[in-house]
Amino acid sequence: MYIGIIGSGTMGNGIAHVFSLYKNNVLLVDVSETILDKAMKTIENNMKRQCAKNIINSNQMKSALNNINTSINIEKLKECDLIVEAIKEDYAIKSEIFKKLDNICNHKTIFATNTSSISINKLSSSTARPDRFIGMHFMNPVPIMKLVEVIKGTDTSLETLNFINNLSK
């Protein structure tokens, strides 16, 4: 599966870390190469800690790190199966990103938000795909907390809900 993540801060890099360990191809997108470099260093350091604790081995770490690519170009998300938005809690910014993504991505792409406080229905109305829009609220620190709150919007399809529930297991 090809998963895009927008925002490479604490939550975004943690989400990328976990998805990559489960053999997903991940594209981590943020506004600058400096921010992305810092995120990749954080992911590598966190994986090294997991190796030291025998949670993963060095081959798993190497494979997971190879599964992550970075970009400052949001257009590169166009082929993703799932995009998880993990930026700051600001409706205007999140809404604008989802509007852009709606024009970039194919109609099958599922959009998820890691919001903890903004209405899924309100955010999904920024797109032409409220049936393929869902909340995935990851707990911090993502690589340690094996819990994802899945939030269905009024128009989220059962197919989308089932897909995200299965992915989150």
Side-chain angles (χ1 to χ4, degrees):
M1 180 176 328
Y2 191 27
I3 300 173
I5 299 165
I6 298 180
S8 65
T10 300
M11 297 307 291
N13 74 57
I15 295 166
H17 175 146
V18 171
F19 277 136
S20 72
L21 278 174
Y22 284 90
K23 301 181 181 170
N24 295 291
N25 291 312
V26 175
L27 179 60
L28 187 57
V29 176
D30 214 314
V31 295
S32 83
E33 293 291 345
T34 303
I35 293 170
L36 289 165
D37 289 344
K38 181 180 177 192
M40 289 305 298
K41 282 182 178 53
T42 298
I43 292 168
E44 183 174 2
N45 287 336
N46 288 339
M47 286 185 185
K48 283 179 180 176
R49 274 197 289 280
Q50 286 182 305
C51 284
K53 294 178 181 180
N54 294 316
I55 296 168
I56 63 173
N57 63 47
S58 60
N59 289 334
Q60 289 171 304
M61 179 177 123
K62 183 179 178 185
S63 177
L65 289 171
N66 286 334
N67 288 339
I68 305 172
N69 289 301
T70 63
S71 180
I72 58 170
N73 183 356
I74 195 170
E75 300 273 336
K76 292 202 173 185
L77 294 167
K78 67 181 177 183
E79 299 300 323
C80 289
D81 302 299
L82 168 66
I83 297 174
V84 180
E85 166 275 312
I87 64 169
K88 70 179 187 171
E89 289 292 284
D90 183 311
Y91 171 75
I93 297 170
K94 287 178 185 283
S95 174
E96 191 59 36
I97 283 175
F98 283 119
K99 286 176 188 173
K100 282 182 188 174
L101 289 171
D102 214 25
N103 291 318
I104 294 167
C105 298
N106 72 60
H107 70 280
K108 292 182 180 179
T109 304
I110 294 173
F111 293 165
T113 178
N114 186 52
T115 188
S116 59
S117 62
I118 301 171
S119 163
I120 300 303
N121 291 332
K122 187 174 179 182
L123 279 172
S124 71
S125 70
S126 303
T127 75
R129 64 182 83 206
D131 60 319
R132 300 188 66 73
F133 195 101
I134 198 159
M136 290 183 80
H137 183 214
F138 293 82
M139 304 301 143
N140 189 24
V142 180
I144 295 170
M145 299 293 292
K146 296 182 184 223
L147 178 64
V148 178
E149 176 187 21
V150 177
I151 307 108
K152 180 186 178 299
T154 303
D155 296 321
T156 305
S157 71
L158 187 55
E159 179 184 4
T160 299
L161 178 63
N162 290 336
F163 176 83
I164 295 300
N165 280 336
N166 289 328
L167 181 67
S168 300
K169 287 182 180 177

